[in-house]
Amino acid sequence: MSNSSNHIEEEEIIHRCSVNDGKAQEWLFKTYYSRLMTICLRYTDNEDDAKDILNESFLKIFQNISKFNHQGSFEGWLKRIVANSAIDFVRKQQKLKYTQPIQLLPDIPDYTSYQDAISVLSEKELLQLIRKLPPMSRNVFNLSVFENYSHKEISNLLDIKEGTSMWHLNNARNILKKQIELISRAEEEVVYG
């Protein structure tokens, strides 16, 4: 199938969803469910919350699909709505205002480059490690690494200081490096005994 026919099909699905065609909405939901659920899972501690975010996201998608202007990627537009819904969820769940943490984790040596370490993990393993991060560090990490937000944007979104955002990103990276190092050592022990 050519790109132009895919583009026509996409435009048709978008149009049909904008007039509340149930079959088109179901197709869109099933087609993008797993890709968009992965985003939700990065921001939550459990699958139920992730499903709530995704359901809220699809409600927003279907309510606003007629506003998609066909400039840029449709999937990118969907992902942005899901990320924004996840941020809204985080804000609602945030009961305490986070300030500079009292106890800092010690620096962890960089045993391997961050990208090399991540490349050896499966997407599922990486998602599990991200979900184990402290909530605010996890949210800052997701917004910075996956959504490409600046620390200024993150500080506005999460109502924290830019310096606190930087600390949480560093904290998340340090925790992930330590966990990746532990996984790597465990695998070496299995291989080399």
Side-chain angles (χ1 to χ4, degrees), residues 77-93:
W77 183 79
L78 296 173
K79 288 179 176 181
R80 184 61 114 179
I81 289 174
V82 173
N84 287 334
S85 295
I87 293 164
D88 290 343
F89 175 84
V90 166
R91 283 186 190 141
K92 289 176 189 173
Q93 298 299 313

Side-chain angles (χ1 to χ4, degrees), residues 3 27-28 34-35 41-42 44 53 64 74 102 127 130 143 149 156 164 169 171:
N3 278 345
W27 180 89
L28 186 72
S34 63
R35 286 178 264 184
L41 288 168
R42 287 196 316 251
T44 61
I53 293 169
N64 294 291
F74 179 61
I102 298 168
L127 179 60
I130 291 170
L143 290 169
Y149 281 98
N156 289 331
T164 303
L169 178 59
N171 184 46

Side-chain angles (χ1 to χ4, degrees), residues 148-164:
N148 296 317
Y149 281 98
S150 69
H151 285 293
K152 183 175 184 174
E153 292 169 318
I154 294 169
S155 71
N156 289 331
L157 286 168
L158 299 179
D159 196 24
I160 59 176
K161 295 178 182 178
E162 281 185 59
T164 303

Side-chain angles (χ1 to χ4, degrees), residues 118-127:
I118 287 181
S119 69
V120 300
L121 295 175
S122 71
E123 183 178 337
K124 185 176 180 180
E125 289 170 322
L126 181 59
L127 179 60

